[in-house]
């Protein structure tokens, strides 16, 4: 059976508010005590071992450290999702990138996780300098790319509902991302890249928040959309890597201030049911593992891509 993977970006409430430009983020509100056990319960029900990308700034807090401990105890891989979760890492200097990666590493290890070997940039932010840092620090893989054409549209939606800043001017990449590979490859700097899978041919996202946005209009449409994506993955030989977020199981009252985020009008129970259905559909056609195990199963014979092709446009 072809392998597929599931990963979770454990983005906290404060991180969403920060990116949205809401000053309430400075109080560091958290929904991890609610979201983490709920997500782990769903994974356990389906017998899944996943990868959880954790933000270092959360791992140094009591609730974040407890989340890391629970995730590790359940057998899931803990990976690096930066320290401060700023989706504009592409504006960081090389020295700033190295400090960001190392600080997050230290926080995760201090919270009880093994030293991470996988990284995902917040907001799909990745640069040649970041890839060099990851290679030098022994990371096996990066999982920061989203090969789609909708990055500028997502940026427009974000800037329409949030204060626009210089940092937000390049959020979520450019139209050029539609030409990025939808299959795993190796950067010429060393690490393997495992893209967040988009629907083959159409290059539209299929991860949790997009399914929920469709579900808000029509549950049947959301399920048909996901079934189509899985069917195209099988036909095109794409081993899917499905991305999830805590908002995929949280209701609006559990994430105050996030009314702007897609799918927040869907009740938590319906979200959990949709996630369970999607994981079940994925497991019917693929052997589902975490991203680190997915990369380990790929072997050494992968196409190589030049990191300089990451130059942003759009």
């Amino acid at each position: 059976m072809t392998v597929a993977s599931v990963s979770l970006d454990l983005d906290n409430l404060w991180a969403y508010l920060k990116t949205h430009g809401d000053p309430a983020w400075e109080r560091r509100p958290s929904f991890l005590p609610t979201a983490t056990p709920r997500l782990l319960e769903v994974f356990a029900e389906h017998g899944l071992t996943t990868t959880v990308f954790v933000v270092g700034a959360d791992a140094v807090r009591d609730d974040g450290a407890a989340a890391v401990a629970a995730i590790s105890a359940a057998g899931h891989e803990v990976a690096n999702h930066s320290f401060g979760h700023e989706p504009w890492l592409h504006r960081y200097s090389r020295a700033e990138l190295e400090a960001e990666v190392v600080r997050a590493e230290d926080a995760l290890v201090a919270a009880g996780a093994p030293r991470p070997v996988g990284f995902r940039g917040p907001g799909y932010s990745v640069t040649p300098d970041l890839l060099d840092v990851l290679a030098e620090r022994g990371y096996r893989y990066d999982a920061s790319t989203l090969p789609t054409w909708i990055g500028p549209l997502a940026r427009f939606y974000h800037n329409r509902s949030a204060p626009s800043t210089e940092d937000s001017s390049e959020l979520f990449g450019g139209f050029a991302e539609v030409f990025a590979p939808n299959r795993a490859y190796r950067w010429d700097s060393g690490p393997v890249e495992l893209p967040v899978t988009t629907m083959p041919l159409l290059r539209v996202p299929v991860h949790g928040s997009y399914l929920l946005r469709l579900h808000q209009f029509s549950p049947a449409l959301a399920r048909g959309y996901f079934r189509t994506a899985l069917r195209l993955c099988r036909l095109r030989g794409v081993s899917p890597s499905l991305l999830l977020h805590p908002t995929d199981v949280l209701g609006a009252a559990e994430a105050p201030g996030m009314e702007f985020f897609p799918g927040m009008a869907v009740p938590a129970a319906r979200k959990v049911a949709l996630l369970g259905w999607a994981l079940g559909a994925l497991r019917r056609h693929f052997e589902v593992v975490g991203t680190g195990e997915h990369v380990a199963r790929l072997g050494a014979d992968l196409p190589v891509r030049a990191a300089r092709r990451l130059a942003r446009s759009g």
Side-chain angles (χ1 to χ4, degrees):
M1 184 177 286
T2 304
V3 70
S5 56
V6 171
S7 64
L8 167 69
D9 285 0
L10 197 65
D11 304 341
N12 207 349
L13 177 56
W14 65 264
Y16 286 100
L17 298 181
K18 182 179 182 179
T19 302
H20 192 63
D22 187 336
W25 82 268
E26 296 178 2
R27 298 194 297 271
R28 299 279 178 165
S30 174
F31 48 41
L32 296 188
T34 301
T36 303
R38 192 173 296 170
L39 285 158
L40 292 179
E41 182 178 356
V42 173
F43 296 153
E45 287 176 356
H46 287 271
L48 295 182
T49 301
T50 66
T51 296
V52 182
F53 291 87
V54 179
V55 177
D58 281 316
V60 299
R61 299 162 42 132
D62 288 345
D63 60 346
V68 170
I71 291 162
S72 297
H76 303 285
E77 176 189 13
V78 175
N80 190 333
H81 197 33
S82 80
F83 186 86
H85 198 276
E86 293 191 334
W88 37 86
L89 293 186
H90 49 280
R91 293 187 176 276
Y92 279 30
S93 69
R94 193 188 188 287
E96 289 170 330
L97 287 168
E98 184 170 11
E100 182 78 2
V101 171
V102 171
R103 193 178 180 193
E105 280 177 19
D106 291 345
L108 297 179
V109 172
R115 188 176 181 276
V117 296
F119 182 88
R120 176 173 287 143
Y124 315 107
S125 185
V126 60
T127 67
D129 279 346
L130 175 59
L131 292 170
D132 285 342
V133 168
L134 297 180
E136 290 173 6
R137 298 200 59 78
Y139 279 70
R140 294 206 314 266
Y141 71 93
D142 176 76
S144 301
T145 60
L146 180 71
T148 184
W149 48 268
I150 72 160
L153 301 182
R155 182 166 62 246
F156 172 78
Y157 175 85
H158 171 272
N159 290 341
R160 186 181 63 175
S161 58
S164 180
T165 66
E166 182 181 3
D167 286 331
S168 68
S169 64
E170 295 182 11
L171 286 178
F172 313 126
F175 282 111
E177 292 304 308
V178 71
F179 301 111
N182 204 16
R183 296 179 178 85
Y185 52 92
R186 187 178 298 278
W187 292 110
D188 56 359
S189 53
V192 170
E193 182 67 34
L194 185 65
V196 175
T197 302
T198 56
M199 188 180 297
L201 301 178
L202 299 179
R203 293 300 184 99
V204 287
V206 296
H207 54 276
S209 57
Y210 287 87
L211 291 181
L212 284 167
R213 188 167 183 82
L214 293 175
H215 187 275
Q216 195 167 332
F217 296 105
S218 167
L221 175 62
R223 296 186 182 216
Y225 180 88
F226 192 67
R227 280 193 293 262
T228 299
L230 296 185
R231 186 176 302 115
L232 286 173
C233 284
R234 298 198 307 275
L235 290 173
R236 303 289 293 182
V238 174
S239 299
S241 182
L242 178 65
L243 170 61
L244 305 174
H245 292 90
T247 49
D248 296 339
V249 297
L250 294 174
E254 297 167 317
M258 285 191 59
E259 296 79 9
F260 64 90
F261 196 76
M264 291 312 297
V266 180
R270 287 172 56 191
K271 287 185 171 185
V272 171
L274 178 63
L275 176 58
W277 173 86
L279 293 176
L282 187 65
R283 290 184 65 223
R284 278 193 292 276
H285 301 289
F286 300 93
E287 180 186 358
V288 183
V289 297
T291 51
E293 179 63 20
H294 192 161
V295 169
R297 301 278 192 96
L298 294 172
D301 188 20
L302 291 173
V304 176
R305 189 181 186 210
R308 67 177 181 273
R309 297 181 68 179
L310 279 170
R312 288 177 174 260
S313 63

